[in-house]
Amino acid sequence: MDAAPDGKGGPRKVTLIPGDGCGPEVIGAGIRVIEAAGIEIEWDRQVAGAAAVNRYGTPAPDALIKSLKRTRIALKGPLETQVGAGYRSINVYLRKTFDLYANLRPTLSFEGVPTPFRDVDLVVVRENTEDLYSGIEHQITPGVVESIKVITAHASRRIARFAFEYAQRNRRKSVTAIHKANIMKLSDGLFLKCARAIARDYPRIEYREQIVDAACMRLVTQPGSFDVLLLENLYGDIVSDLCAGLVGGLGMVPGANYGERGAIFEAVHGTAPDIAGKNLANPIAAVLSGAMLVEYLGYKPRAIRIRAAVQKTLRDGRVMTRDLGGKATTDEMASAIIDAMG
Ligand code: ATP
């Protein structure tokens, strides 16, 4: 076992948030795979979301916030925001509190998963802190409400910088900024202006722009033509689920939220209430989110090993969860991935 260094010689401490609905099942699978890959982590288990409301009367108890401030890194299952919990969304709250401004969703086709396209290998980079998620909404008069879209040069520049840095580090060829600046001339116009300015610092990476509606059509006809996608918060939310559909569904796509001083790793999907607690959820999104965490901790070869085991399991096709056309349980799929690691 390798202990991830935390500067004090012990195993690296990571906050573990099993989450609501299918969260504990898929996160449990993710932990098993990480441990089987030989990484020793001291998990600081915390409750959040609906589980925390039931136990502590709040979706974000002090112990959770303290743990995140201490570890600055978490593996998290999906969280349910209950109506009247005092938060618009617990997920949005955590991203804003820890300024996790960049949401990254690598979306890849897998051999063995039947989809219309074989060549999807794209990465969604979504701005996480502003846009129509500003939370500024008010009623002007009964029957008329306003919801404010906030775009700043600061947030636009730093997410563009993140996308280009990611592209450069991972030998990606292009970054496409997706927008609706033909209609939202000032807000999306500012986003594009910032993206163009940052693009000039990366002459080896092709910079493209595409209007969001046209981009959606191209994504469902020629997804292989995209590489890194750079989006504001709302377009990023919608387009990333569309992209998950291209590669076999929400159970397949991992995600991470990065800030300057920390990161939360989480599958793209929600709590899946229809299948929660039945050992039916596909754990691959959670396992691949775990691989992103392992890479963040400095163990790239181990992360590559986990990803290769997922690929092998899917290619083999004998152990598949229901969403992939098989009959296997969450636990069986995790065991198959562990076996594939050899
Ligand atoms: P939430 O309100 O938490 O977002 P939701 O039902 O609106 O929940 P998801 O939880 O993302 O959204 O689920 C959407 C659909 O995708 C559901 O039919 C669910 O069963 C399916 N799904 C989500 N995650 C998985 C998974 N890991 N494995 C299999 N199916 C999944």
Side-chain angles (χ1 to χ4, degrees):
M1 277 262 181
D2 281 341
D6 66 356
K8 295 182 197 125
R12 180 66 189 258
K13 286 193 185 65
V14 174
T15 302
L16 176 70
I17 309 168
D20 299 314
C22 70
E25 297 157 81
V26 295
I27 290 295
I31 293 171
R32 280 180 61 204
V33 174
I34 289 173
E35 290 182 350
I39 309 288
E40 196 189 345
I41 290 173
E42 191 181 320
W43 300 105
D44 184 15
R45 188 176 283 264
Q46 297 291 335
V47 280
V53 172
N54 295 338
R55 214 181 296 172
Y56 303 110
T58 168
D62 283 351
L64 166 75
I65 302 300
K66 277 192 190 134
S67 173
L68 288 170
K69 281 187 177 154
R70 214 169 36 240
T71 64
R72 298 235 151 241
I73 175 165
L75 180 63
K76 175 179 129 358
L79 298 177
E80 180 191 335
T81 301
Q82 291 178 332
V83 178
Y87 290 81
R88 266 175 305 129
S89 154
I90 177 67
N91 295 307
V92 173
Y93 171 77
L94 290 177
R95 287 171 197 168
K96 284 203 169 176
T97 303
F98 293 96
D99 200 22
L100 303 173
Y101 66 89
N103 183 228
L104 188 82
R105 296 176 173 184
T107 308
L108 186 67
S109 311
F110 286 96
E111 204 183 321
V113 179
T115 57
F117 304 101
R118 306 234 142 270
D119 59 344
V120 181
D121 181 7
L122 57 83
V123 180
V124 175
V125 175
R126 166 186 171 192
E127 203 289 322
N128 244 351
T129 63
E130 55 180 28
D131 190 7
L132 276 162
Y133 287 64
S134 67
I136 311 169
E137 279 194 318
H138 48 250
Q139 178 176 283
I140 310 261
T141 185
V144 184
V145 295
E146 266 185 357
S147 197
I148 310 286
K149 168 166 171 151
V150 177
I151 299 294
T152 65
H154 166 70
S156 302
R157 276 198 292 263
R158 73 176 175 173
I159 194 67
R161 176 79 62 201
F162 181 95
F164 277 96
E165 280 294 313
Y166 177 88
Q168 185 163 273
R169 261 200 325 278
N170 292 280
R171 298 196 173 80
R172 294 277 176 171
K173 291 195 170 56
S174 71
V175 171
T176 306
I178 294 177
H179 66 95
K180 190 81 184 171
N182 51 332
I183 303 296
M184 274 158 281
K185 296 183 195 299
L186 280 183
S187 52
D188 286 15
L190 175 61
F191 185 78
L192 282 189
K193 196 171 146 208
C194 294
R196 283 173 199 159
I198 299 294
R200 284 197 279 279
D201 293 342
Y202 299 84
R204 286 208 208 109
I205 296 165
E206 188 189 349
Y207 172 66
R208 306 178 193 159
E209 294 173 356
Q210 188 143 43
I211 294 177
V212 63
D213 40 352
C216 286
M217 200 202 63
R218 211 172 109 211
L219 275 165
V220 297
T221 51
Q222 308 162 53
S225 64
F226 286 94
D227 197 343
V228 176
L229 280 63
L230 167 63
L231 306 100
E232 292 168 9
N233 207 342
L234 182 64
Y235 307 145
D237 185 25
I238 298 165
V239 167
S240 57
D241 272 26
L242 183 157
C243 291
L246 296 172
V247 298
L250 290 168
M252 301 296 294
V253 181
N257 301 290
Y258 297 100
E260 296 303 341
R261 290 185 301 131
I264 295 183
F265 298 84
E266 61 180 342
V268 166
H269 61 78
T271 56
D274 49 337
I275 54 170
K278 298 179 181 158
N279 202 12
L280 292 176
N282 181 349
I284 286 178
V287 167
L288 292 175
S289 302
M292 291 173 85
L293 181 148
V294 165
E295 184 166 346
Y296 183 78
L297 290 177
Y299 292 104
K300 192 164 183 181
R302 307 290 175 111
I304 292 171
R305 205 168 138 220
I306 295 173
R307 290 185 192 114
V310 168
Q311 273 169 337
K312 188 160 175 261
T313 306
L314 292 168
R315 197 168 48 237
D316 184 61
R318 273 177 302 176
V319 184
M320 301 284 245
T321 43
R322 259 193 356 191
D323 57 313
L324 300 178
K327 292 202 169 84
T329 63
T330 310
D331 290 339
E332 286 165 349
M333 190 99 198
S335 299
I337 294 167
I338 290 166
D339 289 348
M341 273 197 291

